Amino acid sequence: MTIPEKMAAVLLTGHGGLDKLVYNREVPVPRPAHGEVLIRVTACGMNNTDVWVRQGAYGTEDDPSAVSTWRRQGNTLTFPRIQGTDTVGHIVDVGTGVNSARIGERVMVDFSIYNRDDDSLADIDYMGHGRDGGYAEYMALPSENAHVVVTDLTDVELATFCCAYLTGERMLERARLVAGERVLVTGASGGVGSAIIQLARARGAIPIAVAGPGKEAAMLDIGAEAVVTRGKGDLVEAVHAASHGQPIDVVADLVGGPLFNDLLKILRPEGRYTTAGAIAGPVVQLDLRTMYLKQLELHGSSQGSRADFRRIVGYIESRKIRPLVGGVYPLSEFHRAQTDFMAKNFVGKLVVVPDER
């Protein structure tokens, strides 16, 4: 195929509101450098991180309210930036050092920029932050991050997995969730929450969901053992009833805010708390006595390792997890897509596709 000189893309031009996201049809098509491939993007899933980076909502260790981007190890975000992590596409060109036989492959992008040769995440970054991502018609990336997945899922379906499921898998790895244990999942109807429900089942664990009103049936359909409706009655009592009095071994929390202390109450002694988000508020009060008297473990988690990604691919290929498409939007209607995303009136993932798709 003929690769054009220009492409459509959504450019993040600075921290702020939706006006900082500009749809531009005159963006130069990137060229693959040594060891890289160029993909024609066919679908890209949407994530909370996109919104929080746009808003500069990550704070700093000195000032939680400061406008700041995602990386605490040193900022790599420059403007304009093309965001988008959960990218699926077809290889149309390769840089030097890459076998041209790869042209034509359909690939799912491992969006992580690991910056190390081992599985440590101490210096992690990602495509869509440290370099351009997939909210565009074309994307260049290291060849080793472009993975063929043997599946009959559509491009849109395949674009629902990477960031949410990788994040969820890493959370469960950090918490060492094993078969037979019970895990309470907050924010369960979102991308990461719904992923954790399926990933827990893939491990033989028992997930209990906390979700908003009207989403109970959807949570049961994807594998939740029981559902607690958020904001309805006392959370501690509701979880106790949902688990039939059985202990909660792990809390996988994506909400934070006022729920935090109740979640620690819910955990059994020597239980494990793991978090990768705080959509209800990042600054919480912690009674250290609860933590040390109950011998609790608290784990922070973000993204995932190469090994985590390989397990996700294995789960997809063995059909242990399935896609949850909450909506599909053309790239040119990105503002509408992100507005709907922030409203949270869906289950699973929203996906953006180039207009020609």
Side-chain angles (χ1 to χ4, degrees), residues 240-271:
H240 183 78
S243 69
H244 302 289
Q246 296 300 306
I248 300 298
D249 303 283
V250 172
V251 166
D253 182 25
L254 302 159
V255 174
L259 291 183
F260 179 75
N261 280 305
D262 280 346
L263 296 175
L264 297 193
K265 292 178 188 177
I266 287 165
L267 274 173
R268 66 164 173 82
E270 297 186 339

Side-chain angles (χ1 to χ4, degrees), residues 85-300:
T85 59
D86 291 9
T87 312
V88 173
H90 298 257
I91 296 176
V92 294
D93 196 10
V94 298
T96 57
V98 180
N99 191 331
S100 61
R102 294 212 66 184
I103 293 175
E105 291 179 353
R106 183 180 77 152
V107 296
M108 180 172 77
V109 174
D110 177 359
F111 62 93
S112 295
I113 303 172
Y114 293 102
N115 291 321
R116 293 175 58 137
D117 293 331
D118 58 18
D119 264 351
S120 170
L121 302 182
D123 193 28
I124 198 78
D125 200 352
Y126 70 89
M127 301 174 199
H129 183 275
R131 63 181 289 165
D132 286 338
Y135 291 144
E137 292 179 318
Y138 292 88
M139 175 185 173
L141 66 144
S143 177
E144 64 185 16
N145 289 71
H147 296 265
V148 174
V149 182
V150 181
T151 177
D152 58 1
L153 294 175
T154 67
D155 294 358
V156 165
E157 290 172 328
L158 198 56
T160 64
F161 288 114
C162 191
C163 185
Y165 285 75
L166 187 66
T167 299
E169 181 68 7
R170 187 62 181 175
M171 290 173 71
L172 299 185
E173 275 291 289
R174 292 295 307 273
R176 305 185 307 282
L177 183 72
V178 297
E181 289 191 316
R182 288 172 179 79
V183 53
L184 182 71
V185 185
T186 68
S189 63
V192 179
S194 57
I196 291 173
I197 291 174
Q198 294 194 63
L199 293 167
R201 285 297 189 190
R203 289 170 176 251
I206 304 166
I208 297 174
V210 180
K215 298 176 179 178
E216 296 88 350
M219 298 297 93
L220 294 171
D221 181 59
I222 62 174
E225 184 78 4
V227 184
V228 174
T229 305
R230 188 184 68 247
K232 186 177 180 181
D234 181 85
L235 180 65
V236 178
E237 293 179 359
V239 172
H240 183 78
S243 69
H244 302 289
Q246 296 300 306
I248 300 298
D249 303 283
V250 172
V251 166
D253 182 25
L254 302 159
V255 174
L259 291 183
F260 179 75
N261 280 305
D262 280 346
L263 296 175
L264 297 193
K265 292 178 188 177
I266 287 165
L267 274 173
R268 66 164 173 82
E270 297 186 339
R272 290 97 70 195
Y273 170 96
T274 179
T275 182
I279 58 177
V283 181
V284 298
Q285 288 187 322
L286 167 61
D287 187 336
L288 288 171
R289 294 166 296 187
T290 300
M291 180 179 170
Y292 69 72
L293 291 173
K294 291 181 71 175
Q295 312 279 345
L296 301 179
E297 296 180 25
L298 274 63
H299 295 276

